[in-house]
Amino acid sequence: MHTCVFKEEARKAYLDAEGKVDLAKIQARWTELGKIKVSLGNKYFTPAVVEKVKSLSDSDQQRFLDVMMGGLSNNDSSVGVYATRPEDYDVFSFYLEPLIREYHKIEGQTKQEHDWNIPVGEYVLTKIDSRLEKVSMRARVARNVKGWNLPPSMDKDERIRFENKMVEVFDSFGIQGKYHSLTPGHKNFITNQQADELRNKHYLFNDMTTDNHLTSSGVASDWPHGRGIWISEDETKMIWIGEEDQLRIISIVQGNDLGKVDQSLHELLTGIEKSGLEFAEHPIYGVITTCPTNMGTGKRQSILGKFPNITKGGTDEKKLKEVARSLGLQARGVGGEHSNMDKEGTADISPSARFGVTEAIVTKRLYEGLIKLYDMEVQSAGGNRQNCCIIY
């Protein structure tokens, strides 16, 4: 089993005897990793970037190293960078801007716009197939709050203070629910057994110390302090505290109208904003997130469906992922990113675009992509549709 390394230890490999950032050691590591896979973080670590970094203060050079730690520590990284604070996107724009533009396929002067005008009654899954009546649909947005460090550089004290700040919000923002804390000694603390029960329901995120991308980047540092989940009374709205972003705001609806998921999510988002919190935004990139892949809307919308024919009984996940990618969608296992699909080919399907599209377009693309994906599932079965969707 792969042993995870935490950022505090991993970053020592890229410092000189005086504790200063050693750019030659970083370059050597990127060169070594390039023989296996070239991440975007690696690709854009150019000689021009190195010269620019040399002109930075010692503290900014240390911060720059932290931005790259996730990529330097993992040979399977595709992107390989994590912002440590909102201003990183400006301070290190000479490195991050071309990377972001390539990932999101940004051309010209594209600027993020927002639009939550998503109709109820239009994107109805039973129009695709009458059996898609009770489908597990969810949407989530990633958010970080202005004035706080991003999770990779929060220390234990800041994580706990942020959690306590959010508990105050939950107590006053007008939606009935309960907060469950993983922080030892917290007034809302839950046991490991209770946490696992929430994970089995696909509500709570996994133990972050088992993912080397999260440990090496600093996202998982100080685990489990400052982490938890708020769940509404009817269990359709949830807010994660202290995962990859400070907040992951989630809506889950069992049904067939994608517009109703957005309606629920926007209600939750508006409630938080009315409490007085100001989310971190960038004038060009929109919502600021720890991983630049989520920049823009920060929104991920998905349904959970079965694709036994395309996946050949869950044995060919790669095929479904390739088909989904060709339609502008992502296919993941039931447990999210890096998880596997079961023998029925159960997958979490979502649009891949985050930046340069509005929230309304994300929903529209999911619906249009599902029309094509389910048509291909039928064709793979010789025209006979299997039961294709399940609930959580």
Side-chain angles (χ1 to χ4, degrees), residues 62-285:
Q62 296 284 353
R63 185 80 75 164
F64 185 76
L65 170 60
D66 286 342
V67 166
M68 296 185 293
M69 281 309 306
L72 290 168
S73 305
N74 296 279
N75 61 19
D76 61 345
S77 286
S78 297
V79 180
V81 299
Y82 290 87
T84 69
R85 54 185 178 168
E87 54 265 39
D88 283 353
Y89 288 106
D90 291 321
V91 175
F92 306 129
S93 61
F94 60 88
Y95 174 60
L96 295 174
E97 182 179 352
L99 181 156
I100 291 168
R101 293 181 75 87
E102 176 172 333
Y103 179 86
H104 291 288
K105 300 179 175 61
I106 302 170
E107 296 179 1
Q109 300 301 310
T110 302
K111 183 180 177 183
Q112 180 62 44
E113 303 288 346
H114 297 290
D115 177 15
W116 283 93
N117 185 23
I118 301 162
V120 170
E122 184 168 336
Y123 305 123
V124 179
L125 299 178
T126 49
K127 292 179 182 178
I128 299 175
D129 188 286
S130 60
R131 299 182 190 182
L132 300 178
E133 189 171 345
K134 194 173 184 183
V135 179
S136 179
M137 309 177 294
R138 65 169 56 191
R140 67 96 169 128
V141 288
R143 290 291 189 272
N144 292 284
V145 179
K146 191 174 180 180
W148 299 78
N149 285 311
L150 298 180
S153 62
M154 280 180 151
D155 60 20
K156 182 178 175 181
D157 176 65
E158 187 177 14
R159 294 183 200 278
I160 292 173
R161 284 190 293 110
F162 182 79
E163 180 185 32
N164 290 336
K165 174 67 176 176
M166 289 309 303
V167 170
E168 292 176 12
V169 171
F170 299 148
D171 288 342
S172 63
F173 78 155
I175 302 174
Q176 294 300 308
K178 184 178 179 182
Y179 182 64
H180 309 263
S181 176
L182 301 181
T183 303
H186 194 280
K187 65 178 183 178
N188 299 101
F189 178 72
I190 58 173
T191 64
N192 288 334
Q193 182 180 346
Q194 290 171 312
D196 284 340
E197 288 172 2
L198 292 176
R199 292 185 181 109
N200 290 337
K201 294 169 84 169
H202 302 287
Y203 290 173
L204 180 63
F205 49 92
N206 293 327
D207 180 342
M208 294 162 66
T209 63
T210 62
D211 186 328
N212 200 54
H213 292 269
L214 300 180
T215 58
S216 60
S217 64
V219 170
S221 295
D222 309 305
W223 174 268
H225 295 86
R227 275 76 174 203
I229 180 173
W230 175 88
I231 304 174
S232 66
E233 210 168 58
D234 62 2
E235 298 192 354
T236 64
K237 298 178 177 70
M238 296 165 202
I239 302 173
W240 289 355
I241 304 293
E243 207 241 14
E244 185 178 280
D245 292 289
Q246 294 164 4
L247 302 173
R248 287 285 172 92
I249 303 163
I250 304 161
S251 172
I252 300 176
V253 174
Q254 311 293 346
N256 53 66
D257 189 338
L258 296 178
K260 289 186 178 179
V261 189
D262 287 295
Q263 190 179 58
S264 173
L265 180 63
H266 194 238
E267 178 191 353
L268 186 52
L269 200 54
T270 303
I272 296 172
E273 289 179 310
K274 284 182 178 177
S275 73
L277 288 185
E278 185 178 353
F279 295 131
E281 286 242 1
H282 190 277
I284 296 174
Y285 304 136

Side-chain angles (χ1 to χ4, degrees), residues 110 112-114 296-297 353-362 365:
T110 302
Q112 180 62 44
E113 303 288 346
H114 297 290
T297 61
R354 305 275 190 275
F355 179 83
V357 294
T358 64
E359 291 79 5
I361 289 175
V362 171
R365 287 191 180 176

